[in-house]
Coordinates of all heavy atoms in Angstrom, one line a residue:
L92 N -21.2 120.3 -60.9 CA -19.9 119.5 -61.0 C -19.4 119.0 -59.7 O -19.5 119.7 -58.7 CB -18.9 120.3 -61.7 CG -19.2 120.9 -63.0 CD1 -18.0 121.8 -63.6 CD2 -19.7 119.9 -64.0
T93 N -18.9 117.8 -59.7 CA -18.5 117.3 -58.4 C -17.5 116.1 -58.5 O -17.3 115.6 -59.6 CB -19.7 116.8 -57.6 OG1 -19.2 116.3 -56.2 CG2 -20.3 115.5 -58.2
G94 N -16.8 115.8 -57.5 CA -15.9 114.6 -57.4 C -16.7 113.6 -56.6 O -18.0 113.6 -56.6
A95 N -16.0 112.7 -55.8 CA -16.7 111.7 -55.1 C -17.7 112.3 -54.0 O -17.3 113.2 -53.3 CB -15.6 110.9 -54.3
V96 N -18.8 111.5 -53.9 CA -19.8 111.9 -52.9 C -20.0 110.8 -51.9 O -20.2 109.6 -52.3 CB -21.2 112.2 -53.6 CG1 -22.3 112.3 -52.5 CG2 -21.1 113.4 -54.4
H97 N -19.8 111.0 -50.6 CA -19.8 110.0 -49.7 C -21.1 110.2 -48.7 O -21.2 111.2 -48.0 CB -18.6 109.9 -48.8 CG -17.3 109.4 -49.4 ND1 -16.2 109.1 -48.8 CD2 -17.2 109.2 -50.7 CE1 -15.3 108.6 -49.7 NE2 -15.9 108.7 -50.8
L98 N -22.0 109.2 -48.8 CA -23.3 109.4 -48.1 C -23.0 108.9 -46.6 O -22.2 108.1 -46.4 CB -24.3 108.6 -48.7 CG -24.8 108.9 -50.1 CD1 -25.9 108.0 -50.6 CD2 -25.3 110.4 -50.1
K99 N -23.9 109.4 -45.7 CA -23.9 109.0 -44.3 C -25.4 108.6 -43.9 O -26.3 108.9 -44.6 CB -23.5 110.2 -43.5 CG -22.0 110.7 -43.6 CD -21.6 111.7 -42.6 CE -20.1 112.1 -42.8 NZ -19.3 111.0 -42.4
S100 N -25.4 108.0 -42.8 CA -26.7 107.5 -42.3 C -27.8 108.4 -42.3 O -27.6 109.6 -42.0 CB -26.6 106.8 -40.9 OG -25.8 105.6 -41.0
N101 N -29.0 108.0 -42.8 CA -30.2 108.9 -42.7 C -30.2 110.0 -43.7 O -30.9 111.0 -43.5 CB -30.5 109.4 -41.3 CG -30.5 108.3 -40.3 OD1 -31.3 107.2 -40.5 ND2 -29.8 108.4 -39.2
V102 N -29.3 109.9 -44.8 CA -29.2 110.9 -45.8 C -29.8 110.4 -47.1 O -29.3 109.4 -47.6 CB -27.8 111.5 -46.0 CG1 -27.7 112.4 -47.1 CG2 -27.3 112.1 -44.6
N103 N -30.6 111.2 -47.7 CA -31.2 110.9 -49.1 C -30.6 112.0 -50.0 O -31.1 113.1 -49.9 CB -32.8 111.0 -49.0 CG -33.4 110.8 -50.3 OD1 -32.7 110.6 -51.3 ND2 -34.7 111.0 -50.3
L104 N -29.8 111.6 -50.9 CA -29.3 112.5 -51.9 C -30.3 112.6 -53.0 O -30.6 111.6 -53.7 CB -28.0 112.0 -52.5 CG -27.4 112.9 -53.6 CD1 -26.9 114.3 -53.1 CD2 -26.2 112.1 -54.3
H105 N -30.9 113.7 -53.1 CA -32.2 113.9 -53.9 C -31.9 114.8 -55.1 O -31.6 116.0 -54.9 CB -33.3 114.4 -53.1 CG -34.6 114.6 -53.9 ND1 -35.4 113.4 -54.2 CD2 -35.2 115.6 -54.5 CE1 -36.4 113.8 -54.9 NE2 -36.4 115.1 -55.2
L106 N -32.1 114.4 -56.3 CA -31.9 115.2 -57.5 C -33.2 115.6 -58.0 O -34.1 114.9 -58.4 CB -31.2 114.3 -58.6 CG -29.7 114.2 -58.4 CD1 -29.3 113.3 -57.3 CD2 -29.0 113.8 -59.8
A107 N -33.4 116.9 -58.0 CA -34.6 117.6 -58.5 C -34.8 117.3 -60.0 O -33.8 117.0 -60.7 CB -34.7 119.0 -58.2
E108 N -36.0 117.4 -60.5 CA -36.2 117.3 -61.9 C -35.5 118.3 -62.7 O -35.5 119.5 -62.2 CB -37.7 117.3 -62.2 CG -38.1 117.0 -63.7 CD -39.5 116.9 -63.9 OE1 -40.3 117.1 -63.0 OE2 -39.9 116.5 -65.0
G109 N -34.7 118.0 -63.7 CA -33.9 119.0 -64.5 C -32.5 119.1 -63.8 O -31.7 119.9 -64.4
A110 N -32.2 118.4 -62.7 CA -30.9 118.5 -62.2 C -30.0 117.4 -62.8 O -30.3 116.3 -63.0 CB -30.9 118.2 -60.7
T111 N -28.7 117.8 -63.1 CA -27.7 116.9 -63.4 C -26.5 117.0 -62.5 O -25.9 118.1 -62.4 CB -27.2 117.1 -64.9 OG1 -28.3 116.9 -65.8 CG2 -26.1 116.2 -65.3
L112 N -26.1 116.0 -61.9 CA -24.9 115.9 -61.1 C -23.8 115.2 -61.9 O -23.9 114.0 -62.1 CB -25.2 115.2 -59.8 CG -24.1 115.2 -58.6 CD1 -23.8 116.7 -58.3 CD2 -24.5 114.5 -57.5
R113 N -22.8 116.0 -62.3 CA -21.8 115.6 -63.3 C -20.5 115.4 -62.5 O -20.0 116.3 -61.9 CB -21.7 116.6 -64.5 CG -20.6 116.1 -65.5 CD -20.7 117.0 -66.6 NE -22.0 116.8 -67.4 CZ -22.6 117.8 -68.1 NH1 -22.0 118.9 -68.3 NH2 -23.8 117.5 -68.7
F114 N -20.0 114.1 -62.6 CA -18.8 113.8 -61.9 C -17.7 113.9 -62.8 O -17.6 113.2 -63.8 CB -19.0 112.3 -61.4 CG -20.0 112.1 -60.3 CD1 -21.3 112.0 -60.6 CD2 -19.5 112.1 -59.0 CE1 -22.3 111.8 -59.6 CE2 -20.5 111.9 -58.0 CZ -21.9 111.8 -58.3
V115 N -16.9 114.8 -62.5 CA -15.8 115.3 -63.4 C -14.7 114.1 -63.6 O -14.5 113.4 -62.6 CB -15.1 116.5 -63.0 CG1 -16.1 117.7 -63.0 CG2 -14.5 116.4 -61.6
F116 N -14.1 114.1 -64.7 CA -13.0 113.1 -64.9 C -11.6 113.7 -64.5 O -10.9 114.3 -65.2 CB -12.9 112.8 -66.4 CG -11.8 111.8 -66.6 CD1 -11.7 110.5 -66.0 CD2 -10.7 112.2 -67.4 CE1 -10.6 109.6 -66.3 CE2 -9.6 111.3 -67.7 CZ -9.6 110.0 -67.1
E117 N -11.5 113.7 -63.1 CA -10.2 114.1 -62.5 C -10.0 113.0 -61.5 O -10.5 113.1 -60.4 CB -10.3 115.5 -61.9 CG -10.5 116.5 -62.9 CD -10.5 117.9 -62.3 OE1 -9.7 118.1 -61.2 OE2 -11.2 118.9 -62.7
P118 N -9.2 112.0 -61.8 CA -9.0 110.8 -60.9 C -8.7 111.3 -59.5 O -9.1 110.6 -58.5 CB -8.0 110.0 -61.5 CG -8.2 110.2 -63.0 CD -8.5 111.7 -63.1
A119 N -8.0 112.3 -59.3 CA -7.5 112.8 -58.0 C -8.7 113.2 -57.1 O -8.6 113.1 -55.9 CB -6.6 114.0 -58.0
K120 N -9.8 113.4 -57.7 CA -11.1 113.8 -57.0 C -11.8 112.6 -56.4 O -12.8 112.7 -55.7 CB -12.0 114.6 -57.8 CG -11.5 116.0 -58.1 CD -12.5 116.8 -58.7 CE -12.0 118.3 -59.0 NZ -11.6 119.0 -57.8
Y121 N -11.3 111.4 -56.6 CA -11.8 110.1 -56.1 C -10.7 109.4 -55.2 O -10.8 108.3 -55.0 CB -12.2 109.2 -57.3 CG -13.1 110.0 -58.2 CD1 -12.7 110.7 -59.2 CD2 -14.5 110.2 -57.8 CE1 -13.5 111.4 -60.0 CE2 -15.4 110.9 -58.6 CZ -14.8 111.6 -59.7 OH -15.7 112.3 -60.5
L122 N -9.8 110.3 -54.7 CA -8.9 109.9 -53.6 C -9.3 110.7 -52.4 O -9.9 111.7 -52.4 CB -7.5 110.2 -54.1 CG -7.0 109.4 -55.4 CD1 -5.7 109.9 -55.9 CD2 -6.9 107.9 -55.0
P123 N -8.8 110.2 -51.2 CA -8.0 109.0 -50.9 C -8.8 107.7 -51.2 O -9.9 107.7 -51.4 CB -7.7 109.1 -49.5 CG -8.8 109.9 -48.9 CD -9.2 110.9 -49.9
V124 N -7.9 106.7 -51.3 CA -8.6 105.4 -51.6 C -9.5 104.9 -50.5 O -9.4 105.3 -49.3 CB -7.5 104.2 -51.8 CG1 -6.7 104.7 -53.1 CG2 -6.7 104.1 -50.6
V125 N -10.4 104.1 -50.9 CA -11.4 103.5 -49.9 C -11.5 102.0 -50.0 O -11.1 101.4 -51.1 CB -12.8 104.2 -50.1 CG1 -12.8 105.6 -49.9 CG2 -13.4 103.8 -51.5
L126 N -12.1 101.3 -49.0 CA -12.4 99.9 -49.2 C -13.5 99.8 -50.2 O -14.6 100.3 -50.2 CB -12.8 99.4 -47.8 CG -13.3 98.0 -47.8 CD1 -12.2 97.0 -48.1 CD2 -13.9 97.6 -46.5
T127 N -13.2 98.9 -51.2 CA -14.1 98.6 -52.3 C -13.9 97.2 -52.8 O -13.0 96.5 -52.3 CB -13.9 99.7 -53.4 OG1 -14.9 99.4 -54.4 CG2 -12.5 99.6 -54.0
R128 N -14.6 96.8 -53.8 CA -14.4 95.6 -54.5 C -14.2 96.0 -56.0 O -14.8 96.8 -56.5 CB -15.5 94.6 -54.4 CG -15.4 93.7 -53.2 CD -16.5 92.7 -53.3 NE -16.5 91.9 -52.0 CZ -17.5 90.8 -51.9 NH1 -18.2 90.4 -52.8 NH2 -17.4 90.2 -50.7
F129 N -13.1 95.4 -56.6 CA -12.9 95.6 -58.0 C -13.1 94.2 -58.6 O -12.3 93.3 -58.4 CB -11.4 96.1 -58.4 CG -11.3 96.4 -59.8 CD1 -11.7 97.6 -60.4 CD2 -10.8 95.3 -60.7 CE1 -11.6 97.7 -61.7 CE2 -10.7 95.5 -62.1 CZ -11.0 96.8 -62.6
E130 N -14.1 94.0 -59.3 CA -14.5 92.8 -60.0 C -14.4 91.6 -59.0 O -13.8 90.6 -59.3 CB -13.6 92.5 -61.2 CG -13.8 93.5 -62.4 CD -13.1 93.2 -63.6 OE1 -12.1 92.3 -63.6 OE2 -13.4 93.7 -64.7
G131 N -15.0 91.9 -57.9 CA -15.2 90.8 -56.9 C -14.1 90.6 -55.9 O -14.1 89.6 -55.1
I132 N -13.0 91.4 -55.9 CA -11.9 91.3 -55.0 C -11.7 92.5 -54.3 O -11.6 93.6 -54.8 CB -10.5 90.9 -55.8 CG1 -10.6 89.6 -56.6 CG2 -9.4 90.8 -54.8 CD1 -9.5 89.2 -57.4
E133 N -11.6 92.3 -52.9 CA -11.6 93.6 -52.0 C -10.2 94.1 -52.2 O -9.1 93.5 -52.3 CB -11.8 93.1 -50.6 CG -13.2 92.8 -50.3 CD -13.5 92.7 -48.8 OE1 -12.7 92.2 -48.1 OE2 -14.6 93.2 -48.4
C134 N -10.2 95.5 -52.1 CA -8.9 96.2 -52.2 C -9.2 97.7 -51.7 O -10.3 98.1 -51.4 CB -8.4 96.3 -53.7 SG -9.5 97.0 -54.9
M135 N -8.1 98.4 -51.8 CA -8.2 99.9 -51.5 C -8.0 100.6 -52.9 O -6.9 100.5 -53.4 CB -7.1 100.3 -50.5 CG -7.1 99.6 -49.2 SD -8.7 99.6 -48.2 CE -8.7 101.3 -47.8
N136 N -9.1 101.2 -53.3 CA -8.9 101.8 -54.7 C -9.7 103.2 -54.7 O -10.3 103.6 -53.7 CB -9.6 100.8 -55.6 CG -9.4 101.2 -57.1 OD1 -8.3 101.7 -57.5 ND2 -10.3 100.9 -58.0
Y137 N -9.7 103.8 -55.8 CA -10.5 105.0 -56.0 C -11.8 104.8 -55.4 O -12.5 103.9 -55.5 CB -10.7 105.4 -57.5 CG -9.5 105.7 -58.2 CD1 -8.9 104.9 -59.3 CD2 -8.8 107.0 -58.0 CE1 -7.8 105.3 -60.0 CE2 -7.7 107.4 -58.7 CZ -7.2 106.6 -59.7 OH -6.1 107.0 -60.4
S138 N -12.3 105.9 -54.8 CA -13.7 105.9 -54.3 C -14.7 105.8 -55.4 O -14.5 106.4 -56.5 CB -14.0 107.2 -53.6 OG -15.4 107.3 -53.2
P139 N -15.7 105.0 -55.3 CA -16.8 105.1 -56.2 C -17.4 106.5 -56.2 O -17.2 107.3 -55.3 CB -17.9 104.1 -55.6 CG -17.0 103.1 -54.9 CD -15.9 103.9 -54.3
L140 N -18.0 106.8 -57.3 CA -18.6 108.1 -57.5 C -19.5 108.5 -56.4 O -19.4 109.6 -55.8 CB -19.2 108.3 -58.9 CG -18.2 108.6 -60.0 CD1 -17.1 107.5 -60.1 CD2 -19.0 108.7 -61.3
I141 N -20.4 107.6 -56.0 CA -21.3 107.8 -54.8 C -21.1 106.6 -54.0 O -21.2 105.4 -54.4 CB -22.8 107.9 -55.2 CG1 -23.0 109.2 -56.1 CG2 -23.6 108.0 -54.0 CD1 -24.4 109.2 -56.6
Y142 N -20.7 106.8 -52.7 CA -20.1 105.7 -51.9 C -20.7 105.9 -50.5 O -20.9 107.1 -50.0 CB -18.6 105.8 -51.8 CG -17.8 104.8 -51.0 CD1 -17.9 103.4 -51.4 CD2 -17.2 105.2 -49.8 CE1 -17.1 102.5 -50.6 CE2 -16.5 104.2 -49.1 CZ -16.4 102.9 -49.5 OH -15.8 102.0 -48.7
A143 N -20.9 104.8 -49.8 CA -21.2 104.8 -48.4 C -20.7 103.5 -47.8 O -20.9 102.5 -48.3 CB -22.7 104.8 -48.2
L144 N -20.0 103.7 -46.6 CA -19.4 102.5 -45.9 C -20.0 102.3 -44.6 O -19.9 103.3 -43.7 CB -17.9 102.7 -45.8 CG -17.2 101.6 -45.1 CD1 -17.2 100.2 -45.7 CD2 -15.7 102.0 -44.9
G145 N -20.6 101.2 -44.4 CA -21.2 100.9 -43.0 C -22.3 101.9 -42.5 O -22.5 102.1 -41.3
Q146 N -23.1 102.3 -43.4 CA -24.1 103.3 -43.1 C -25.5 102.6 -43.1 O -25.6 101.5 -43.7 CB -24.1 104.5 -44.1 CG -22.8 105.2 -44.1 CD -22.3 105.8 -42.9 OE1 -23.0 106.6 -42.2 NE2 -21.1 105.5 -42.4
E147 N -26.5 103.3 -42.5 CA -27.8 102.8 -42.5 C -28.8 103.9 -42.9 O -28.7 105.0 -42.5 CB -28.1 102.3 -41.0 CG -29.5 101.5 -40.9 CD -29.6 100.9 -39.5 OE1 -28.6 100.8 -38.8 OE2 -30.8 100.6 -39.2
N148 N -29.8 103.5 -43.7 CA -30.8 104.4 -44.1 C -30.1 105.4 -45.1 O -29.9 106.5 -44.7 CB -31.6 105.0 -43.1 CG -32.3 104.0 -42.2 OD1 -32.7 103.1 -42.7 ND2 -32.4 104.4 -40.9
V149 N -29.7 105.0 -46.3 CA -29.2 105.9 -47.3 C -30.0 105.7 -48.6 O -30.5 104.7 -48.9 CB -27.7 105.7 -47.5 CG1 -26.9 106.0 -46.3 CG2 -27.4 104.2 -47.9
A150 N -30.0 106.8 -49.3 CA -30.7 106.9 -50.6 C -30.2 107.8 -51.6 O -29.5 108.8 -51.3 CB -32.2 107.1 -50.4
V151 N -30.4 107.5 -52.9 CA -30.2 108.3 -54.0 C -31.5 108.4 -54.8 O -31.9 107.3 -55.3 CB -29.1 108.0 -54.8 CG1 -28.9 109.0 -56.1 CG2 -27.8 107.8 -54.1
T152 N -32.3 109.4 -54.8 CA -33.6 109.5 -55.4 C -33.8 110.7 -56.2 O -32.9 111.7 -56.3 CB -34.7 109.6 -54.3 OG1 -34.6 110.8 -53.6 CG2 -34.5 108.4 -53.3
G153 N -34.9 110.8 -57.0 CA -35.3 112.0 -57.7 C -35.4 111.7 -59.2 O -35.1 110.6 -59.7
K154 N -35.8 112.7 -59.9 CA -36.0 112.7 -61.3 C -34.8 113.2 -62.2 O -34.9 113.3 -63.4 CB -37.2 113.3 -61.8 CG -38.5 112.7 -61.2 CD -39.8 113.4 -61.7 CE -41.0 112.7 -61.1 NZ -42.2 113.3 -61.6
G155 N -33.7 113.5 -61.5 CA -32.6 114.1 -62.1 C -31.6 113.0 -62.7 O -32.0 111.8 -62.8
T156 N -30.5 113.6 -63.2 CA -29.5 112.6 -63.9 C -28.2 112.6 -63.2 O -27.6 113.7 -62.8 CB -29.4 113.1 -65.4 OG1 -30.6 113.1 -66.0 CG2 -28.3 112.3 -66.1
L157 N -27.7 111.5 -63.1 CA -26.2 111.2 -62.7 C -25.4 111.0 -63.9 O -25.6 110.0 -64.5 CB -26.2 110.1 -61.7 CG -27.0 110.2 -60.3 CD1 -27.0 108.9 -59.7 CD2 -26.4 111.3 -59.5
D158 N -24.5 111.8 -64.2 CA -23.5 111.7 -65.3 C -22.1 111.5 -64.9 O -21.5 112.2 -64.2 CB -23.6 113.0 -66.0 CG -22.7 113.0 -67.4 OD1 -22.0 112.0 -67.6 OD2 -22.9 114.0 -68.1
G159 N -21.6 110.2 -65.2 CA -20.3 109.8 -64.8 C -19.2 110.3 -65.7 O -18.0 110.1 -65.4
S160 N -19.5 111.1 -66.7 CA -18.5 111.6 -67.6 C -17.6 110.7 -68.3 O -16.5 111.1 -68.8 CB -17.7 112.7 -66.8 OG -18.4 113.8 -66.4
A161 N -17.9 109.4 -68.3 CA -17.1 108.4 -69.0 C -17.2 108.5 -70.5 O -18.4 108.6 -71.1 CB -17.4 107.0 -68.5
T162 N -16.1 108.4 -71.2 CA -16.1 108.3 -72.6 C -14.9 107.5 -73.0 O -14.2 107.1 -72.1 CB -15.8 109.7 -73.3 OG1 -14.5 110.2 -73.0 CG2 -16.9 110.7 -72.8
W163 N -14.7 107.2 -74.3 CA -13.5 106.4 -74.7 C -12.2 107.1 -74.6 O -11.2 106.7 -74.8 CB -13.7 105.8 -76.1 CG -14.8 104.8 -76.1 CD1 -16.0 104.9 -76.6 CD2 -14.7 103.4 -75.5 NE1 -16.8 103.7 -76.4 CE2 -15.9 102.8 -75.7 CE3 -13.6 102.8 -74.9 CZ2 -16.2 101.5 -75.3 CZ3 -13.9 101.5 -74.6 CH2 -15.1 100.8 -74.8
E164 N -12.3 108.5 -74.3 CA -11.1 109.3 -74.0 C -10.8 109.5 -72.6 O -9.8 109.9 -72.2 CB -11.3 110.6 -74.7 CG -11.2 110.7 -76.2 CD -12.4 110.0 -76.9 OE1 -13.5 110.3 -76.5 OE2 -12.2 109.2 -77.9
T165 N -11.8 109.1 -71.7 CA -11.6 109.3 -70.2 C -11.6 107.9 -69.6 O -10.7 107.0 -69.8 CB -12.8 110.1 -69.7 OG1 -14.1 109.5 -69.9 CG2 -12.7 111.5 -70.3
W166 N -12.6 107.6 -68.7 CA -12.6 106.3 -67.9 C -12.5 105.1 -68.8 O -11.8 104.1 -68.5 CB -13.8 106.3 -67.0 CG -13.9 107.3 -66.0 CD1 -14.9 108.4 -65.8 CD2 -13.1 107.4 -64.8 NE1 -14.7 109.0 -64.8 CE2 -13.6 108.5 -64.0 CE3 -12.0 106.7 -64.3 CZ2 -13.1 108.9 -62.8 CZ3 -11.4 107.1 -63.1 CH2 -11.9 108.2 -62.3
W167 N -13.3 105.0 -69.9 CA -13.4 103.8 -70.7 C -12.0 103.6 -71.3 O -11.7 102.3 -71.7 CB -14.5 103.9 -71.7 CG -15.8 104.0 -71.0 CD1 -16.2 103.7 -69.8 CD2 -17.0 104.6 -71.7 NE1 -17.6 104.0 -69.5 CE2 -18.1 104.5 -70.7 CE3 -17.4 104.9 -73.0 CZ2 -19.3 104.9 -71.0 CZ3 -18.6 105.3 -73.2 CH2 -19.6 105.3 -72.3
A168 N -11.2 104.5 -71.6 CA -9.9 104.2 -72.3 C -9.0 103.4 -71.4 O -8.1 102.7 -71.9 CB -9.2 105.6 -72.5
W169 N -9.3 103.2 -70.1 CA -8.5 102.4 -69.3 C -8.7 100.9 -69.5 O -7.8 100.1 -69.2 CB -8.7 102.7 -67.8 CG -8.3 104.1 -67.4 CD1 -7.9 105.1 -68.1 CD2 -8.3 104.5 -66.0 NE1 -7.6 106.2 -67.4 CE2 -7.9 105.9 -66.1 CE3 -8.7 104.0 -64.8 CZ2 -7.7 106.7 -64.9 CZ3 -8.6 104.8 -63.7 CH2 -8.2 106.2 -63.7
N170 N -9.8 100.6 -70.2 CA -10.0 99.2 -70.6 C -10.4 99.1 -72.0 O -11.4 98.3 -72.3 CB -11.0 98.5 -69.6 CG -11.0 96.9 -69.8 OD1 -10.0 96.4 -69.9 ND2 -12.2 96.4 -69.8
N171 N -9.8 99.8 -72.9 CA -10.2 99.8 -74.3 C -9.4 98.6 -75.0 O -8.1 98.8 -75.0 CB -9.8 101.0 -74.9 CG -10.4 101.2 -76.4 OD1 -10.7 100.2 -77.0 ND2 -10.4 102.4 -76.9
K172 N -10.1 97.6 -75.4 CA -9.4 96.4 -76.0 C -9.3 96.4 -77.5 O -8.9 95.5 -78.1 CB -10.2 95.2 -75.5 CG -10.3 95.0 -74.0 CD -11.2 93.8 -73.6 CE -11.3 93.7 -72.1 NZ -12.3 92.6 -71.7
E173 N -9.7 97.5 -78.2 CA -9.8 97.5 -79.6 C -8.4 97.3 -80.3 O -8.4 96.7 -81.4 CB -10.4 98.8 -80.0 CG -11.9 98.9 -79.7 CD -12.6 100.0 -80.4 OE1 -11.8 100.9 -80.9 OE2 -13.8 100.0 -80.4
N174 N -7.4 97.8 -79.7 CA -6.0 97.7 -80.5 C -5.3 96.4 -80.3 O -4.3 96.1 -80.9 CB -5.1 98.9 -80.2 CG -4.8 98.9 -78.7 OD1 -5.0 97.9 -77.9 ND2 -4.3 99.9 -78.2
G175 N -5.9 95.5 -79.4 CA -5.3 94.2 -79.3 C -4.1 94.1 -78.3 O -3.6 93.0 -78.2
T176 N -3.6 95.2 -77.7 CA -2.6 95.1 -76.9 C -3.2 95.2 -75.4 O -4.3 95.5 -75.2 CB -1.7 96.3 -77.0 OG1 -2.4 97.5 -76.8 CG2 -1.1 96.3 -78.4
P177 N -2.4 94.8 -74.4 CA -2.9 94.8 -73.0 C -3.4 96.2 -72.7 O -2.9 97.2 -73.0 CB -1.6 94.5 -72.2 CG -0.8 93.6 -73.1 CD -1.0 94.2 -74.5
T178 N -4.6 96.3 -72.0 CA -5.2 97.5 -71.6 C -4.3 98.1 -70.5 O -3.5 97.5 -69.8 CB -6.6 97.2 -71.2 OG1 -6.7 96.4 -70.0 CG2 -7.4 96.5 -72.2
R179 N -4.6 99.4 -70.2 CA -4.0 100.1 -69.1 C -4.3 99.4 -67.8 O -3.4 99.5 -66.8 CB -4.5 101.6 -69.1 CG -4.2 102.3 -70.4 CD -4.5 103.8 -70.1 NE -4.6 104.6 -71.4 CZ -5.0 105.8 -71.5 NH1 -5.3 106.5 -70.4 NH2 -5.1 106.4 -72.6
Q180 N -5.5 98.9 -67.6 CA -5.8 98.2 -66.3 C -5.2 96.9 -66.1 O -5.2 96.3 -65.1 CB -7.3 98.1 -66.1 CG -8.0 97.1 -66.9 CD -9.4 96.8 -66.5 OE1 -10.1 97.8 -66.0 NE2 -9.9 95.6 -66.8
A181 N -4.7 96.2 -67.2 CA -4.4 94.8 -67.2 C -3.3 94.4 -66.1 O -3.5 93.5 -65.4 CB -3.8 94.4 -68.6
A182 N -2.3 95.2 -66.0 CA -1.2 94.9 -65.0 C -1.7 95.0 -63.6 O -1.5 94.0 -62.7 CB -0.1 95.8 -65.2
A183 N -2.5 95.9 -63.2 CA -3.1 96.1 -61.9 C -4.1 95.0 -61.6 O -4.2 94.5 -60.5 CB -3.6 97.4 -61.7
R184 N -4.9 94.7 -62.6 CA -5.9 93.7 -62.4 C -5.3 92.4 -62.1 O -5.7 91.6 -61.2 CB -6.8 93.6 -63.6 CG -7.9 92.6 -63.5 CD -8.8 92.6 -64.8 NE -10.0 91.9 -64.7 CZ -10.1 90.5 -64.9 NH1 -9.0 89.9 -65.2 NH2 -11.2 89.9 -64.8
A185 N -4.1 92.0 -62.8 CA -3.5 90.8 -62.6 C -2.8 90.7 -61.3 O -2.9 89.7 -60.5 CB -2.4 90.6 -63.7
R186 N -2.3 91.9 -60.8 CA -1.6 91.9 -59.5 C -2.7 91.7 -58.4 O -2.5 91.0 -57.4 CB -0.9 93.2 -59.4 CG -0.2 93.4 -58.0 CD 0.9 94.5 -58.0 NE 0.4 95.8 -58.3 CZ 0.0 96.7 -57.3 NH1 0.2 96.3 -56.0 NH2 -0.4 97.8 -57.6

Side-chain angles (χ1 to χ4, degrees):
L92 308 179
T93 187
V96 171
H97 288 192
L98 298 179
K99 294 183 178 295
S100 293
N101 303 312
V102 172
N103 175 4
L104 178 66
H105 182 79
L106 280 72
E108 188 170 5
T111 295
L112 192 58
R113 180 169 295 154
F114 293 80
V115 297
F116 177 66
E117 294 181 34
K120 292 190 178 295
Y121 306 93
L122 296 172
V124 297
V125 300
L126 173 64
T127 183
R128 278 189 184 180
F129 184 86
E130 294 186 343
I132 299 179
E133 289 194 319
C134 63
M135 309 300 295
N136 191 32
Y137 288 115
S138 170
L140 278 54
I141 299 176
Y142 180 69
L144 176 62
Q146 305 299 305
E147 186 169 345
N148 301 326
V149 293
V151 180
T152 67
K154 296 182 178 180
T156 297
L157 297 167
D158 183 354
S160 296
T162 68
W163 290 106
E164 287 71 45
T165 60
W166 294 113
W167 298 341
W169 294 7
N170 192 40
N171 190 342
K172 302 175 182 178
E173 286 190 352
N174 60 12
T176 60
T178 65
R179 295 187 200 177
Q180 74 170 26
R184 186 182 186 272
R186 181 161 64 92

